[in-house]
Amino acid sequence: MPHTLFSLNYDVLTDILSYLAPQDATQLALASRAAYALALPRIVSDVTLGGLFHKPGNSAVAQLTAFCNFLLSPAPAWLGAPESRLDALQNLSVMRDALRVRKNGIWTVDPTATALLSTVIARARNLQKLTLWGSDVLFAAYPDFASDSSPSIHTLVLGGDVPSLPVLAHAFPHVRTLEFIPGGGSCAPDWAIFTANQLTDATSLGAWQENIDHIDTGYPVLPLACPVRRVDLRNPLVSDTYMLFCAREFLRRTRPVVLSASVSADLTEEEMSAVLDGEVVAPGLRFLELEGDRCKGVKESETFVTNVANTLSALKVPILGLSLSVTPSIPAMSVPHVLKWGESPEPKPAPPAESLDLMKLARTVAEHARSLRFLSLDLSSAPGAAKGEKAWFRVYDAGSKREVERISEAEGREVERTMRAFNRWD
């Protein structure tokens, strides 16, 4: 009996299809009914609707309508269960233009198409991640949008303008991971900063008070006044009183166990202390990842590490793990030299590499953070630093002294992964 693709075990076929791009899976589906039934779950598992600004007319909303009707219509008997198309959808991204139509020369959102999309979001039992760009207009056009969203949606990614958090919390009560992507810049929108008191914000979030586990955002989201296990702040914090106040207030309201943040490498100890006040802001902080943004050189990277150590010593934050890294500063623009005929450019000599004593820095941090058990240092991006200036350390007590022991990269990465999963009982 000849062996064919379809004679393989279904688990093996599933692994093979996971390596196929959706376009290749589409070509496979055209081969036969058996190939169609095999490839369809891969084709519709990860879908992006819209993003067709270069297309004419209402092509984006026509695409969305056709796709939603395809998922909701009964499947042929040879394909399997009637819900097989809809159940294959796992990741859905809806771009800004996906629901826009032009009426009387004005772009507006089609409420009929929005209602159709809402039905798909409600009935897709395996939909895990939903990305919405410009979602505020969807709720304005169809107030009941996603009111019965599938409980399988655990990750919600929001780009551009968004409605208020209570509206989102009511529509997606089962969400555990919340990500905000700035639509037109890095500045926080008004709804994220200008907020009522913490008690009012907390009571308006409904099930999010218990369900939100991880928030990834470029800016503080002050209305999110509930405990969040992990917080990622992507935009670098600089020496700005108002920015630092908003970051401090955001951390005070969310009280993270795991915090990843980017701060200016020039931030002083006083400014770091204003954000990371252990007694007020993050009394339960266990793992801290700090990135020193735009570090000018090796000496500045050492100063950054020392400032963090002194801050932790003064505030007595009870962390168990600490990861410190830097990003290089943007080099200044130089005036180009105009070459004469026959003249060849002279290569610019590279600055001599400076080696960092990572073991000494690790001991300094360990002495200042008495609760620390793990430390990661990656200063290889500092201008002028020698290659490989990164290391992972285990920190322990040796009598009255604090000692550090260098561990392998593989073990260090595994410890970091474990600590990012810390909860309030670790």
Side-chain angles (χ1 to χ4, degrees), residues 211-247:
N211 289 345
I212 292 296
D213 176 77
H214 180 197
I215 177 169
D216 185 339
T217 177
Y219 43 76
V221 183
L222 297 187
L224 194 72
C226 63
V228 179
R229 184 192 63 82
R230 178 178 174 181
V231 171
D232 291 3
L233 266 176
R234 293 189 305 273
N235 291 351
L237 299 176
V238 298
S239 298
D240 179 87
T241 303
Y242 184 64
M243 177 184 285
L244 296 178
F245 167 78
C246 290

Side-chain angles (χ1 to χ4, degrees), residues 165 191-198 201 219-226 242 245-251 253-254:
L165 289 193
W191 66 263
I193 299 299
F194 299 103
T195 173
N197 61 58
Q198 182 176 1
D201 293 335
Y219 43 76
V221 183
L222 297 187
L224 194 72
C226 63
Y242 184 64
F245 167 78
C246 290
R248 172 191 173 91
E249 183 66 14
F250 177 51
L251 297 179
R253 293 182 171 208
T254 53

Side-chain angles (χ1 to χ4, degrees), residues 94-96 109 132-139 158-163:
V94 183
M95 308 306 288
R96 287 188 181 91
V109 174
L132 298 175
W133 283 89
S135 54
D136 61 332
V137 295
L138 305 184
F139 288 91
L158 300 167
D161 297 326
V162 303

Side-chain angles (χ1 to χ4, degrees), residues 116-136:
L116 188 62
L117 176 63
S118 180
T119 301
V120 169
I121 292 174
R123 293 177 55 185
R125 296 179 298 185
N126 294 321
L127 179 59
Q128 300 167 20
K129 182 178 180 180
L130 176 64
T131 302
L132 298 175
W133 283 89
S135 54
D136 61 332

